[in-house]
């Protein structure tokens, strides 16, 4: 008598194996596609735009014109413990004869 494979279950494990392999490859392809789009393509373009937007000369000029006020604020904070505030705010003058620190400057004054 011939016994069909349907009743004995022979070969079912092989079918399940290929089903699992197919699902795994499908999810791997989908996941790598999503990662490539968002993780590489989108963020790479964002970083390219971010770094190309720097106008280095304008930034250097902005630092140079604000540096004196920044160091006055820092010196005032160091002496009094009060931060004057962000932005171009000139702090009150320190008492006459106060020894000011010789901070290294970001932009050299020649």
């Amino acid at each position: 008598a011939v016994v069909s494979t349907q009743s004995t279950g022979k070969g079912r494990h092989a079918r399940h194996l290929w089903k699992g392999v197919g699902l795994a490859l499908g999810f791997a392809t989908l996941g790598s596609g999503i990662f490539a789009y968002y993780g590489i393509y989108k963020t790479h373009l964002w970083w390219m735009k971010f770094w190309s937007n720097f106008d280095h000369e304008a930034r250097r000029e902005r630092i140079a014109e604000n540096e004196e006020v920044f160091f006055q604020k820092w010196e005032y904070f160091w002496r009094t413990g009060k931060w004057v505030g962000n932005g171009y705010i000139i702090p009150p003058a320190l008492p006459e004869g106060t020894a000011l620190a010789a901070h290294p400057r970001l932009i050299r004054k020649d």
Side-chain angles (χ1 to χ4, degrees):
V2 177
V3 180
S4 70
T5 55
Q6 202 72 33
S7 63
T8 57
K10 279 186 178 177
R12 265 178 50 200
H13 64 288
R15 281 200 308 275
H16 283 300
L17 180 70
W18 285 115
K19 188 177 175 184
V21 167
L23 275 171
L25 286 173
F27 281 121
T29 305
L30 183 69
S32 60
I34 291 169
F35 170 74
Y37 180 71
Y38 288 105
I40 298 170
Y41 175 69
K42 282 286 201 182
T43 51
H44 178 67
L45 285 181
W46 187 89
W47 279 107
M48 276 175 47
K49 285 182 200 157
F50 178 81
W51 286 109
S52 65
N53 273 340
F54 278 137
D55 183 354
H56 296 286
E57 282 305 309
R59 187 165 186 267
R60 191 178 192 287
E61 289 165 14
R62 213 168 44 246
I63 288 171
E65 71 188 26
N66 291 323
E67 196 174 30
E68 192 57 45
V69 171
F70 174 77
F71 280 113
Q72 286 176 20
K73 282 161 67 169
W74 187 248
E75 193 72 42
Y76 185 80
F77 171 70
W78 183 251
R79 304 282 175 182
T80 63
K82 293 184 186 124
W83 184 248
V84 178
N86 295 329
Y88 197 86
I89 301 167
I90 298 171
L94 291 166
E96 199 67 36
T98 305
L100 300 177
H103 296 290
R105 300 289 168 141
L106 296 171
I107 309 296
R108 286 175 52 186
K109 288 190 219 171
D110 294 326

